[in-house]
Amino acid sequence: MKPIPISCIIDDDRIFVFGLSKLMEMNSFSNELLVFLNGQEALDYMLPLLDTPDKLPDVILLDINMPVLDGWQFMDEFVRVNPRIKKKITIYMVSSSVSELDINKAKAYAEISDYVVKPMRADDLNKMREKYYTDLELASRP
């Protein structure tokens, strides 16, 4: 399966980010990878590009617990600006938390495709890529 054009990791755990980026590279997950250490860094990048969809990520892997702006705060802002984004961005909440509260909170956001518990495996990435291309195909049908 072909790579996703642009993927994005928003996570403050540099060791996790390093490992996941290597796993993505080994599995040809995406052509380009954006990495941000917290939600604010990601928003600072994305907000000026709302009218430039080809520079925005196609898939975001979002951690919950981060300094400055956590995953929930990022999602609240994303929901606010999402109507202005000229492309579908698929978001996965990726966390070490197995709390039912976190899982249910993630399910309450229509913009979150799924909740994935760390550590991630190649199989998780393959499912994400499959879903991305399936959704893209369905969206292009009349």
Side-chain angles (χ1 to χ4, degrees):
M1 185 167 283
K2 67 182 181 177
I4 290 168
I6 304 173
S7 63
C8 174
I9 302 171
I10 306 173
D11 196 310
D12 65 319
D13 182 340
R14 292 176 192 269
I15 294 170
F16 172 75
V17 169
F18 176 79
L20 180 56
S21 62
K22 290 297 177 194
L23 185 64
M24 290 172 138
E25 186 180 321
M26 290 181 347
N27 287 279
S28 301
F29 182 73
S30 61
N31 291 327
E32 184 180 342
L33 175 62
L34 305 171
V35 176
F36 303 102
L37 298 177
N38 62 63
Q40 189 61 55
E41 284 184 9
L43 287 174
D44 289 347
Y45 172 83
M46 291 174 63
L47 291 177
L49 300 173
L50 293 181
D51 295 324
T52 317
D54 59 320
K55 294 191 184 309
L56 293 171
D58 298 282
V59 173
I60 295 175
L61 307 180
L62 177 65
D63 186 28
I64 294 175
N65 297 309
M66 296 175 285
V68 186
L69 195 74
D70 68 21
W72 303 125
Q73 293 166 316
F74 173 87
M75 283 307 304
D76 291 341
E77 185 62 19
F78 182 85
V79 167
R80 190 180 70 74
V81 300
N82 193 28
R84 294 177 36 213
I85 299 173
K86 294 175 174 32
K87 81 189 270 185
K88 165 108 171 68
I89 298 176
T90 304
I91 301 177
Y92 290 92
M93 189 63 80
V94 179
S95 178
S96 55
S97 171
V98 292
S99 163
E100 285 296 318
L101 291 173
D102 285 336
I103 293 168
N104 289 332
K105 188 171 182 178
K107 286 179 182 176
Y109 284 92
E111 296 79 6
I112 296 178
S113 288
D114 203 358
Y115 188 97
V116 181
V117 178
K118 293 177 184 178
M120 290 188 62
R121 302 177 317 269
D123 186 51
D124 296 319
L125 293 177
N126 291 334
K127 286 178 187 172
M128 289 176 184
R129 185 171 37 204
E130 246 177 65
K131 182 172 178 9
Y132 170 77
Y133 280 109
T134 299
D135 290 351
L136 197 63
E137 184 181 318
L138 291 173
S140 68
R141 290 184 183 166

